[in-house]
Amino acid sequence: MKTASSSSSSSHGFPATASLCTPYLLLVPLGLLAVVLVVPSLGSSHVRSDGLGVLCRAGPSAADGYLVTPGGDAASAAAETKAVVRPELRLLVGVLTTPKRYERRNIVRLAYALQPAVPPGVAQVDVRFVFCCVADPVDAQLVALEAARHGDILVLNCTENMNDGKTHEYLSSVPRMFASSPYDYVMKTDDDTYLRVAALVDELRHKPRDDVYLGYGFAVGDDPMQFMHGMGYVVSWDVATWVSTNEDILRYNDTHGPEDLLVGKWLNIGRRGKNRYSLRPRMYDLNWDMDNFRPDTVLVHMLKDNRRWAAAFRYFNVTAGLQPSNLYHFP
Ligand SMILES: *[C@@H]1O[C@H](CO)[C@@H](O)[C@H](O)[C@H]1NC(C)=O
Ligand SMILES: *[C@@H]1O[C@H](CO)[C@@H](O)[C@H](O)[C@H]1NC(C)=O
Ligand SMILES: *[C@@H]1O[C@H](CO)[C@@H](O)[C@H](O)[C@H]1NC(C)=O
């Protein structure tokens, strides 16, 4: 499987991505630079919106982007049919991260790229790395390279933060950004989480498409699922849309604090996300000794260093299919 532009054919999607994204090669860096350099002098809204438009455009044709589809020949076949055959469900996965985490992002990108295939008729899964405005000009240029190369960058209109409204900005921007081709589900996850996309899709397939709030349920008092842990949770499109239009959340300044708990609070007050599912124990934190991996994992969290990522890749046999070669040998 792979993540690549819809029509890509190589296992890394290089040729197709390059041709599909040719305009981006010019536009994205300009867009980013516009955001970064011009905003202070011109005032934010117009320029930022141009920048966002360029960076985040993912309209109907943007089956280009970052798909989780089968690898090899199946991938190109799947990609070609994808434009016509609507999959059972479409899922946007937002990996919230920060510009300077280049090394981690590289690992996470590979983690998504090297996963077992999701059958093409079943799901379209687009993975995006989610930032607030990239303020540093060096980072802006380097992140623009990633946008041009991988097409998996999404920049929100906010100042980088974790518990000061970034999640709210994400959930409320996505329904606008993708208004022309809505997803069924929106996921928020982090760059210390290994998500097994096929396993999640299997869970979502038979769930309702509306009023869903799914994740690692956190019990408070009598409520077994008062909110979903920030390691990774999914809301249906209607719920994200509701968040985006709910002015009370901002009026009551209810975006400052632990983001996962707050999402639960908004939904509880608004009586949304009533179709609630906890995927415990298939979602979990990796423990200190790294010995609690499970074969039916949907998501494992707390991969906070390379050693822990390596353990996950080893456990899930991610490189098992690596062809023998006289160019390398791994024990
Ligand atoms: C970005 O956020 C600022 C501050 O909240 C707001 O004034 C501005 O209109 C926003 N710009 C866009 C393009 O949404
Ligand atoms: C919102 O909450 C933050 C953090 O608690 C605080 O700094 C800020 O002043 C508050 N803003 C308003 C408008 O109440
Ligand atoms: C990894 O491969 C080994 C050996 O083939 C197998 O026993 C194990 O179940 C695999 N692990 C997972 C998580 O699929």
Side-chain angles (χ1 to χ4, degrees), residues 6 24 52-67 82-83 90 92 124 126 128 151 153-154 174-183 237:
S6 60
Y24 287 87
L52 289 170
V54 171
L55 283 173
C56 306
R57 183 164 301 133
S61 65
D64 65 293
Y66 200 76
L67 300 179
K82 188 150 285 141
R90 297 179 69 233
L92 176 70
Q124 177 189 336
D126 296 338
R128 297 285 182 275
I153 300 296
L154 192 161
V174 154
R176 271 186 287 110
M177 287 175 163
F178 298 95
S180 62
S181 76
Y183 289 88
W237 191 253

Side-chain angles (χ1 to χ4, degrees), residues 196 294-296 314-317 320:
R196 296 175 84 217
R294 36 189 301 147
D296 64 351
R314 194 176 313 114
Y315 179 83
F316 293 109
N317 295 324

